[in-house]
Amino acid sequence: MSKDKIAVLGYSVQCFASLKDAGIDFVAVVPPEFTPDLKEKGIEHYGWNFEKFNEQSIQIVKDLTEMGVNCAFPLYEETVEWAGYVNSHFRDDPRLFNRYYLFRNKAMMKRKAQMAGIRVGVFEEAESKEQVRKFFRRVNEALLKLDGESNYPVHLKPLDAAGCKGHRMIKEESKIEEIEDNEFPCLLETHLDGQEFSCEVFIHKGKIKFLNITEYVKLGHSNFIPCSPELNERRGLIKKAVEELIDAFGIEYGMIHPEYFITSDGKINFGEVAARVPGGHMFELMQKVYGFDPYVGFALCSNPNTDPKVIEEFFPSESDHKGYTGCLMVYPKKSVISDVSLPDNLVTDSYYDYHNLFTPASSKVAERVAFGDHYGTIFFQGDDANEMKKRLVEYEKEDFYA
């Protein structure tokens, strides 16, 4: 392993343990309130307020440099631009910060992709309900929708939130009135047809070192790794699309998490891309089927000084996986709950692995806004991708709370 020291931006017990076990020297850069816990655990740390940039921001670069740090990688969406900021100084590349900022602004991200010739849906930024209404009408008028026909949905997303947070799918114009004023400004985009999937791409010196494909069963609810053989047949097309994205965004090091849609005739549309640890328990699922620790892979690929031989030896073959593993993120279907209640057919299912469902302190279930936070996850493991998909579809209909 490299003897360099890396800054981990964000708090993650699992990440810290992984890097420690791998012998990677690191500094945990965390909000100040987390520093007492890290001091007690004996983990080298640095307290920093990630909430805003100002003229004092250069201090983080000076202090990390004095601590022997030469690169950084982000765990969470809120730390992505900070990784770009400190790495731009470490690598003496002022444009690097702007590249990282692309990952944080969905509208700018899509414009950059579109300018590079990457297929994206129609999109606009909106600052009011009236602008949302106009976009919704224009889209459906362009599709020559007649009175009485179902509307074509549009999606509303925050410009800088992670994953499904704040994501709304608008199918009826009347639903526009439910949008809160604090959701503006936002991104509006047309619905993309096809199979949705994500890629978890580990990159070093601008080249793909490992490409996982995660197949989505239902956005915000279920996914599995690796993808089905049917989707994997398109791996060549998918890899080419990812390479185009890497070139367009000038990505040299680290890991990216792009989301795509692929149609039955092989057309790939770009959804969005992140440069932090993906949601959907993907790192956990990846480690289970491939046998390598993605946190360690992220750290190794984020360091320009990592020996290429170390990278090559670390990652397994993309075809060398132990079955399939998936997860179902659970949302209570009742408005009031008392306890977790697993159906008998789940407990005896050969694909059932384990769960981490919890009973919250309040029995009243919080109202979900768009794609809200789930109440725990059920994990599955098996040898057949189609059987995995079947279970994720069927169990999503179940209620796991009494």
Side-chain angles (χ1 to χ4, degrees), residues 22-73:
I24 295 176
D25 197 8
F26 70 94
V27 174
V29 182
V30 298
E33 59 266 27
F34 287 92
T35 56
D37 177 64
L38 294 181
K39 183 177 181 180
E40 184 178 327
K41 288 181 168 66
I43 295 174
E44 187 174 10
H45 57 277
Y46 176 76
W48 187 256
N49 185 343
F50 293 110
E51 290 185 0
K52 62 181 179 179
F53 284 96
N54 55 40
E55 62 276 5
Q56 303 300 321
S57 295
I58 191 63
Q59 193 63 44
I60 188 175
V61 178
K62 294 177 179 178
D63 291 343
L64 291 178
T65 300
E66 289 182 4
M67 298 174 79
V69 172
N70 73 305
C71 60
F73 73 96

Side-chain angles (χ1 to χ4, degrees), residues 2-30 38 41-46 64 67-73 75 295-296 299:
S2 171
K3 297 301 181 183
D4 295 332
K5 184 181 290 187
I6 191 166
V8 182
L9 306 189
Y11 183 95
S12 167
V13 173
Q14 180 58 56
C15 178
F16 301 155
S18 295
L19 299 189
K20 184 177 180 180
D21 290 345
I24 295 176
D25 197 8
F26 70 94
V27 174
V29 182
V30 298
L38 294 181
K41 288 181 168 66
I43 295 174
E44 187 174 10
H45 57 277
Y46 176 76
L64 291 178
M67 298 174 79
V69 172
N70 73 305
C71 60
F73 73 96
L75 295 181
Y295 286 107
V296 176

Side-chain angles (χ1 to χ4, degrees), residues 296-328:
V296 176
F298 197 173
L300 292 175
C301 287
S302 296
N303 187 352
N305 296 332
T306 301
D307 189 330
K309 291 182 179 179
V310 172
I311 299 282
E312 296 298 329
E313 292 173 359
F314 178 79
F315 291 107
S317 166
E318 292 157 353
S319 61
D320 184 17
H321 57 89
K322 297 179 180 178
Y324 298 86
T325 183
C327 66
L328 173 66

Side-chain angles (χ1 to χ4, degrees), residues 120-153:
V120 299
V122 176
F123 65 94
E124 288 183 11
E125 293 171 74
E127 296 186 355
S128 68
K129 293 178 184 178
E130 184 58 30
Q131 290 181 351
V132 177
R133 191 173 290 107
K134 288 180 179 179
F135 182 80
F136 184 85
R137 289 176 179 175
R138 284 199 301 267
V139 167
N140 280 281
E141 286 170 359
L143 292 170
L144 307 179
K145 290 290 185 179
L146 301 176
D147 289 342
E149 290 185 327
S150 297
N151 290 314
Y152 195 74

Side-chain angles (χ1 to χ4, degrees), residues 169-210:
M169 181 188 287
I170 302 172
K171 298 180 180 180
E172 301 294 336
E173 189 172 327
S174 61
K175 295 294 183 180
I176 294 172
E177 288 304 316
E178 297 178 6
I179 302 171
E180 302 289 343
D181 290 342
N182 60 10
E183 296 181 56
F184 296 104
C186 63
L187 175 73
L188 300 173
E189 60 182 343
T190 52
H191 184 72
L192 296 174
D193 294 320
Q195 168 66 57
E196 186 173 9
F197 64 92
S198 71
C199 297
E200 289 65 54
V201 192
F202 296 82
I203 303 162
H204 198 254
K205 298 187 184 300
K207 301 297 181 182
I208 297 173
K209 298 305 176 181
F210 187 85

